[in-house]
Amino acid sequence: MIVPMKKVSIVVLNKERRQALEQLQKIGVVHLEQLEGNGEKLAAYKEASNNAMNASAVLAEVKVPKKHGQPASLSNQEIAEKCVNIISLTEQKKRLLEEISNDSVELDRFALWGEVNPDDFAYLKEKNISLRLFEIPEDKYSLIDSSAVTISVNRAKKTVRFLLVNGGDERPAGIPPEAYEVPMPAVSTAEIARRIEDDEAKIAGIDKALLEEAVYKNMIDGFKKSLESDIQFETVYSGMGKEEEGKISDLAWISGFVPVDSMEVLQNAVKENSWAMAYCDPDEEDEVPTKLKNNKLVSLIYPLTDFLGTVPGYHEYDISGWFLLFFTIFFGMIFGDGGYGLIVTFAAIIMILKGLASKKGISPMSGLMLLLGLSTVCWGTVTCTWFGLQPEQLPQWLVHLSIPQISNAYADVGWLPFWSDDASKGMLTTAQNLQIFCFTLAFLQLSVAHIKGMIRYRKSLKVLGEFGSMLQLWGMYYVVLSMVVSSSLFSFSEIVYAIPIGLISIGLVAFGFVLSFVFSNYEGSIGKSVLESCKSIISVLLGVVNVFSDIVSYIRLWAVGLAGAAISGTVNEMAGPLLGHAILFVAFAALVLFGHGLNMILNLLSVIVHGVRLNTLEFSTHLGMSWSGFKYNPFAEKDK
């Protein structure tokens, strides 16, 4: 459930606000409203944190020898200075690398000219001998006019390098346009080469210094973590509302949210510290954090929702239990293979035993893995799917454990619906039964969504709008069976026990649409509700189509599971011919491990994409949920 919150405002003397915040941290129950801090102290903390983060990133790329001495313990001030030094060394290294890059380009430019010294050219110019460097395509060199005095230096890579003697400051007319004048280097090429060597030596020294600093990475990470707490505290301290009249009676105040089950703790602290406090229920406009509280079984879903970052809004539903139930079913169907389920189950058991041995207890992740593994084993059992093997390759007792209507072992056997004895209309195959099962899951899960909506609006006529949406869902369920599974077995003229199922389904859709149209926007006036529906008539009409598409969307459970089974079967077919040869056993084992391992990874991705989607999109849409919440995160002391 979503724990109810109280909005609280606490007032303290301004001169005591630091001590008051320290007490609030110790209590650790108030989720503070967002504050904008300022001040030199906060800026210094943020700068130190940024330096620590950058220094840690630099040291993470340094390979530390396995055998190295334990670094001496440092104070926070010494660690901060090390961070600044590491960043300084990194910036020096970056600058030196840029210089080496630029010098290397310049050196490459004169690689075929030999050693070039601009001082020599300047000396010759003083002696009235002016030399300029040119490059020209080899086939254009003969086009140089005889009036231009040139000296050929060399020919390489279809290019001629030559010197123009006393050609003046302007480009002589006798030089073809294809000739390119090479700019003189700023210093000699020998000096450039020496600079590169010096810079490389400096970089080697920096790398050595960084290697010596790398042993302090863990200390720097711990320092950064402690700064996070300092930044949080200083942000709150400097961002609190306060009077600034300079009086001893000046007040300071702060607001936040507290779970109702923690209010007594806060009230006791208020009395002990002589603070003033006011509290009330949050308004609709308040950005209230969400705190979920469920039993240990339902809490198994938290590792998944934390990974996805999905948090229901404070005024939305806590669907953790329903999420866990249906996700467990979806996982088993998408993984689909009992053998894969055994692997997941054994991995979970190992994690559980390891946790118990280390006295850490059973983690929610290992509990969730165990539940999902068992779900996959159950689905593999009832469908007779084990490592993609054919039914005839499995023990008969495994085949007998499967349910014939959805088992791979009975794929060629047709089945009549329970109400029909007329085989001329067709027979339900295993694939069709699995499709019906998927659509039935959609029917059940989406019905839960509308029932929860009806409970929520039970004191308003809006409940009729939710009821109408549910009637549309029920009627559309039969329409989907008729259009997707079998139009002959689920025809609109079908009569079951004297009940015209087809006509009733159409009637449910129509009647449900009318109820939804009239009451879905009800806020005290039926006329205004109808008017709102008329304003958004396009989306209202598309809503009927969306019900159809939402039900059909659940067929992905069968389709993705079928794809996974096809891949595992293909792996077995590829590896099968290698099994009878002892020499090829290693290749057989490698192919089986790689193929089935890759298939399990693909199945896991499919679960995240498809299994999660059905809960967070289709189911949540019918609930009216947008997952707009954020987690309850109280202002509390953190480990430094």
Side-chain angles (χ1 to χ4, degrees):
M1 70 170 187
I2 296 177
V3 179
M5 293 278 178
K6 292 291 184 180
K7 183 176 182 179
V8 301
S9 294
I10 300 171
V11 182
V12 301
L13 288 173
N14 189 21
K15 64 179 182 179
E16 297 176 356
R17 60 190 170 112
R18 183 172 293 276
Q19 296 90 329
L21 288 179
E22 290 173 352
Q23 289 297 318
L24 278 180
Q25 266 194 328
K26 291 180 180 179
I27 300 167
V29 297
V30 183
H31 178 108
L32 298 177
E33 291 184 327
Q34 189 171 356
L35 297 171
E36 294 292 337
N38 52 65
E40 294 181 0
K41 194 171 184 179
L42 178 60
Y45 281 145
K46 289 183 177 180
E47 182 181 3
S49 177
N50 188 55
N51 289 342
M53 179 181 66
N54 293 333
S56 178
V58 171
L59 298 182
E61 298 178 1
V62 178
K63 293 183 178 180
V64 182
K66 293 183 178 179
K67 294 182 179 180
H68 60 82
Q70 189 69 19
S73 181
L74 302 177
S75 66
N76 285 348
Q77 181 62 33
E78 290 173 325
I79 296 175
E81 291 173 357
K82 277 196 175 294
C83 292
V84 173
N85 182 52
I86 291 168
I87 293 171
S88 176
L89 290 173
T90 306
E91 291 175 350
Q92 291 178 39
K93 182 178 179 179
K94 182 179 179 182
R95 177 177 54 79
L96 291 171
L97 288 172
E98 290 177 354
E99 291 178 0
I100 290 174
S101 177
N102 294 334
D103 286 343
S104 297
V105 171
E106 189 73 353
L107 205 58
D108 290 343
R109 195 161 64 89
F110 293 95
L112 298 176
W113 281 92
E115 185 174 338
V116 178
N117 190 342
D119 293 340
D120 294 340
F121 285 81
Y123 174 78
L124 291 172
K125 191 170 185 179
E126 291 176 357
K127 303 300 181 180
N128 297 320
I129 301 175
S130 174
L131 298 177
R132 293 161 65 185
L133 286 66
F134 280 87
E135 293 181 354
I136 190 171
E138 189 174 19
D139 57 346
K140 301 293 182 181
Y141 182 64
S142 60
L143 300 179
I144 298 176
D145 191 90
S146 58
S147 61
V149 181
T150 64
I151 300 174
S152 176
V153 176
N154 62 44
R155 298 168 182 257
K157 296 184 178 181
K158 297 182 178 181
T159 301
V160 177
R161 275 153 286 280
F162 66 92
L163 296 173
L164 176 65
V165 182
N166 293 334
D169 295 331
E170 301 296 330
R171 186 184 181 94
I175 299 296
E178 291 84 0
Y180 165 72
E181 183 172 4
V182 179
M184 195 68 65
V187 295
S188 69
T189 52
E191 177 63 23
I192 294 174
R194 281 194 296 270
R195 287 196 319 206
I196 292 176
E197 290 179 1
D198 291 344
D199 289 346
E200 288 177 342
K202 291 177 182 178
I203 288 176
I206 291 174
D207 288 339
K208 183 179 179 181
L210 290 175
L211 181 61
E212 293 174 354
E213 300 288 7
V215 295
Y216 295 99
K217 183 180 183 302
N218 290 338
M219 287 189 190
I220 292 173
D221 290 338
F223 175 59
K224 181 181 179 301
K225 188 174 181 180
S226 70
L227 284 173
E228 291 174 359
S229 179
D230 294 333
I231 290 172
Q232 181 194 39
F233 185 92
E234 195 61 31
T235 299
V236 175
Y237 176 76
S238 60
M240 286 179 67
K242 57 185 180 295
E243 295 178 326
E244 297 180 343
E245 297 180 4
K247 299 178 181 178
I248 196 172
S249 59
D250 283 353
L251 301 178
W253 54 89
I254 197 167
S255 299
F257 301 91
V258 180
V260 292
D261 53 9
S262 300
M263 279 297 296
E264 185 178 354
V265 175
L266 179 61
Q267 288 171 334
N268 291 335
V270 168
K271 293 177 182 178
E272 291 174 5
N273 293 279
S274 300
W275 302 334
M277 182 179 73
Y279 60 91
C280 62
D281 292 327
D283 296 328
E284 288 287 338
E285 296 78 17
D286 289 326
E287 296 183 0
V288 188
T290 302
K291 180 182 179 182
L292 300 179
K293 185 177 181 180
N294 289 291
N295 57 45
K296 290 185 178 180
L297 175 61
V298 175
S299 298
L300 293 178
I301 198 64
Y302 290 166
L304 177 63
T305 54
D306 289 344
F307 170 75
L308 297 172
T310 53
V311 181
Y314 178 72
H315 299 289
E316 294 181 339
Y317 301 97
D318 175 18
I319 60 169
S320 300
W322 295 110
F323 198 129
L324 178 64
L325 172 63
F326 286 102
F327 180 75
T328 301
I329 298 173
F330 298 160
F331 186 98
M333 293 178 67
I334 291 175
F335 253 67
D337 193 296
Y340 293 172
L342 287 175
I343 294 175
V344 176
T345 301
F346 288 147
I349 292 174
I350 292 173
M351 290 175 61
I352 290 172
L353 293 177
K354 189 175 179 180
L356 293 174
S358 61
K359 297 182 180 180
K360 293 182 180 179
I362 302 175
S363 67
M365 176 58 75
S366 57
L368 179 63
M369 282 183 60
L370 179 61
L371 182 63
L372 298 178
L374 293 174
S375 170
T376 308
V377 171
C378 291
W379 184 256
T381 301
V382 299
T383 59
C384 197
T385 308
W386 299 91
F387 291 112
L389 297 172
Q390 297 298 320
E392 56 270 17
Q393 297 174 300
L394 297 170
Q396 283 300 304
W397 64 271
L398 277 180
V399 175
H400 294 321
L401 285 176
S402 64
I403 298 176
Q405 285 81 354
I406 58 175
S407 172
N408 294 320
Y410 303 90
D412 296 330
V413 180
W415 304 92
L416 284 171
F418 70 91
W419 65 80
S420 177
D421 57 0
D422 186 1
S424 64
K425 293 183 178 180
M427 307 279 279
L428 286 173
T429 63
T430 301
Q432 288 175 320
N433 283 325
L434 288 170
Q435 293 171 13
I436 293 172
F437 184 79
C438 292
F439 297 144
T440 303
L441 281 176
F443 173 83
L444 294 174
Q445 187 176 27
L446 301 183
S447 292
V448 168
H450 292 295
I451 291 172
K452 289 180 73 69
M454 291 170 62
I455 295 173
R456 182 171 194 170
Y457 299 120
R458 62 188 181 276
K459 297 182 180 180
S460 168
L461 287 180
K462 205 168 184 176
V463 68
L464 296 177
E466 282 291 336
F467 181 65
S469 298
M470 188 168 67
L471 292 182
Q472 291 182 67
L473 170 69
W474 290 1
M476 199 62 72
Y477 171 70
Y478 190 84
V479 173
V480 170
L481 295 181
S482 177
M483 298 183 68
V484 179
V485 179
S486 173
S487 58
S488 58
L489 290 172
F490 299 96
S491 67
F492 292 111
S493 60
E494 189 68 42
I495 298 177
V496 179
Y497 303 127
I499 300 175
I501 299 296
L503 292 177
I504 290 178
S505 66
I506 298 299
L508 289 175
V509 174
F511 183 59
F513 175 79
V514 172
L515 287 177
S516 179
F517 187 86
V518 175
F519 296 104
S520 61
N521 297 305
Y522 181 80
E523 294 293 345
S525 171
I526 294 179
K528 290 182 179 180
S529 177
V530 173
L531 182 61
E532 286 297 320
S533 296
C534 291
K535 289 179 181 178
S536 54
I537 187 64
I538 301 298
S539 61
V540 171
L541 293 174
L542 288 177
V544 181
V545 180
N546 288 338
V547 175
F548 177 88
S549 64
D550 287 345
I551 297 175
V552 173
S553 183
Y554 281 70
I555 203 172
R556 69 183 65 236
L557 298 171
W558 167 70
V560 175
L562 189 65
I567 293 175
S568 60
T570 301
V571 171
N572 292 340
E573 289 181 8
M574 293 173 62
L578 305 176
L579 184 58
H581 306 278
I583 299 177
L584 300 177
F585 179 77
V586 175
F588 166 79
L591 181 57
V592 169
L593 290 175
F594 174 78
H596 285 289
L598 178 62
N599 194 26
M600 289 186 69
I601 294 173
L602 293 175
N603 285 340
L604 182 61
L605 294 176
S606 298
V607 167
I608 295 174
V609 173
H610 302 289
V612 171
R613 171 205 162 103
L614 294 175
N615 281 291
T616 58
L617 186 59
E618 276 81 0
F619 183 45
S620 298
T621 298
H622 284 254
L623 279 167
M625 286 183 63
S626 59
W627 298 97
S628 59
F630 54 97
K631 290 185 70 172
Y632 166 71
N633 183 25
F635 180 62
E637 291 181 329
K638 293 180 173 60
D639 293 335
K640 295 191 177 183

